[in-house]
Amino acid sequence: METENRTGSALVFPGMGPTPFTESARFMLVNSFARELQAEADDVLGYSLFDRFSSADGDYSEYAQLAFFLNCLALARWSEAELGARPDYVTGPSFGGKATAVHSGALSVADGIRLTARFARVLDSFFEEEYPEQVATQSFARTPRAVLEEILAELTEQGEWHEITCVVDEDFHMLTLRKPRLEWLQQRLRAAGGLPLYVMEPPMHAAAFDGLRRKAEAEVMAGLEFRDPHIPVVSDHDGTVLTSGEQVKNLLLDGCVRRVNWPGTLAGLRGHGVGTLHVAGQDALFGRVAVAVKNFTVVPANPRLATRPRRRPAPAAA
């Protein structure tokens, strides 16, 4: 790994994975940054987020999404205070775009809370109304692109709609399709030596979901104020640098219809001299894949590290 000529750093807000309450509760209770953000959220929402999250069902409930969003912001503040992170750029694949918008300065914390809560509701209602047959996203690794192309060709021959909605690494993708075809896809991937991982629903990032983008623009963005960010934002779609509030707003909306391209995002960061990634949030994916660890120094900031007792220096000898 050659990073000595790349002295810049970027803050990465990871996409959201399953985040059980038990894995987040201690951090939310003891971390001062987390408590401060929860207090603001409670004022904006009119209820105790901690209480709602503790009793919520499902990995991606509205309350789980809000908690993940706020915890990521808290961890970014913690990494700056405790680890000395001073990012030149900020980026966030998929769900991480929400925290990216706030931490960059393009959106206030209060408006970020409103955006996250509204979008969770809009996402659920859109798929309930528009996709009664249900669609989902299958993530999978150890599948080279040539093998994936064969599988996609078979789906096309079967007349099945499908779309790659996230490129995580050269052999790691996410594919969105109808739920009745998930079992076939999983079996086909295993037969080709691939490794099916988790299934996410509702899905995102597909060109077919233009109706979701329109609905989000009308119902989620209404009344939110976007400003020019004070930290440049790097698009998780193509690695371009965004410097205006309108660009950041469109980035969030385009997340409904454009695939995440993580290798392209990281290539953009490398091109701007970034050698260190500070990953703020519970991350089992984006900061760990080969395209990240082989090309950057990755510095995690997660709840486990942030709640670890700090070692006190030994007293000086008399």
Side-chain angles (χ1 to χ4, degrees):
M1 178 173 64
E2 296 181 2
T3 61
E4 60 270 18
N5 295 324
R6 291 184 281 123
T7 58
S9 68
L11 181 65
V12 175
F13 289 107
M16 183 179 177
T19 52
F21 173 75
T22 53
E23 294 183 12
S24 305
R26 184 167 183 265
F27 174 74
M28 296 174 71
L29 288 171
V30 305
N31 182 269
S32 60
F33 298 111
R35 293 199 308 269
E36 180 181 346
L37 287 165
Q38 284 178 80
E40 183 166 358
D42 292 351
D43 287 342
V44 172
L45 298 168
Y47 59 76
S48 168
L49 175 60
F50 187 89
D51 290 347
R52 295 281 182 97
F53 183 29
S54 69
S55 59
D57 293 326
D59 292 327
Y60 298 98
S61 69
E62 175 183 334
Y63 312 115
Q65 291 185 44
L66 282 162
F68 186 86
F69 160 74
L70 291 170
N71 287 347
C72 285
L73 288 176
L75 286 162
R77 296 179 179 184
W78 176 84
S79 71
E80 291 179 346
E82 298 295 329
L83 305 180
R86 295 293 182 269
D88 302 293
Y89 299 92
V90 58
T91 189
S94 191
F95 186 91
K98 298 176 177 65
T100 293
V102 172
H103 196 78
S104 70
L107 199 63
S108 68
V109 171
D111 274 353
I113 292 165
R114 296 182 183 99
L115 181 147
T116 302
R118 291 176 187 175
F119 196 86
R121 297 173 205 144
V122 162
L123 191 63
D124 285 341
S125 66
F126 174 79
F127 283 98
E128 287 174 2
E129 296 166 5
E130 301 296 331
Y131 285 85
E133 292 185 355
Q134 296 184 312
V135 289
T137 299
Q138 175 73 59
S139 65
F140 50 94
R142 302 179 189 171
T143 308
R145 184 67 193 210
V147 174
L148 177 57
E149 291 295 342
E150 294 177 2
I151 296 173
L152 298 181
E154 292 175 26
L155 286 167
T156 299
E157 290 174 3
Q158 297 167 13
E160 288 289 342
W161 171 80
H162 59 277
E163 192 167 336
I164 296 174
T165 47
C166 183
V167 180
V168 184
D169 209 336
E170 290 183 1
D171 64 347
F172 197 142
H173 299 79
M174 298 184 189
L175 181 67
T176 299
L177 71 171
R178 294 191 312 117
K179 284 184 69 176
R181 301 304 291 160
L182 282 174
E183 185 176 355
W184 175 91
L185 175 62
Q186 293 161 0
Q187 293 175 353
R188 182 65 178 82
L189 287 165
R190 292 190 184 98
L195 178 64
L197 297 170
Y198 47 89
V199 175
M200 295 173 291
E201 53 181 314
M204 279 273 288
H205 315 308
F209 303 153
D210 186 58
L212 174 61
R213 190 193 190 283
R214 294 193 300 271
K215 188 176 178 69
E217 186 167 20
E219 300 180 21
V220 175
M221 298 300 179
L224 304 185
E225 180 185 358
F226 283 83
R227 304 176 293 262
D228 292 347
H230 55 76
I231 306 175
V233 171
V234 174
S235 166
D236 62 320
H237 304 142
D238 55 19
T240 57
V241 176
L242 312 178
T243 57
S244 76
E246 189 66 18
Q247 288 176 319
V248 175
K249 176 182 177 180
N250 284 325
L251 175 70
L252 295 174
L253 289 170
D254 286 346
C256 299
V257 294
R258 295 187 66 184
R259 74 176 57 165
V260 173
N261 182 351
W262 190 228
T265 304
L266 295 180
L269 289 171
R270 288 185 69 185
H272 288 286
V274 171
T276 300
L277 303 179
H278 294 272
V279 182
Q282 290 168 283
D283 176 43
L285 184 58
F286 292 96
R288 298 189 177 190
V289 291
V291 70
V293 298
K294 288 183 178 181
N295 295 293
F296 298 86
T297 298
V298 179
V299 182
N302 56 49
R304 180 179 59 82
L305 292 173
T307 53
R308 179 183 295 173
R310 281 180 286 179
R311 294 181 179 178
R312 295 182 179 180

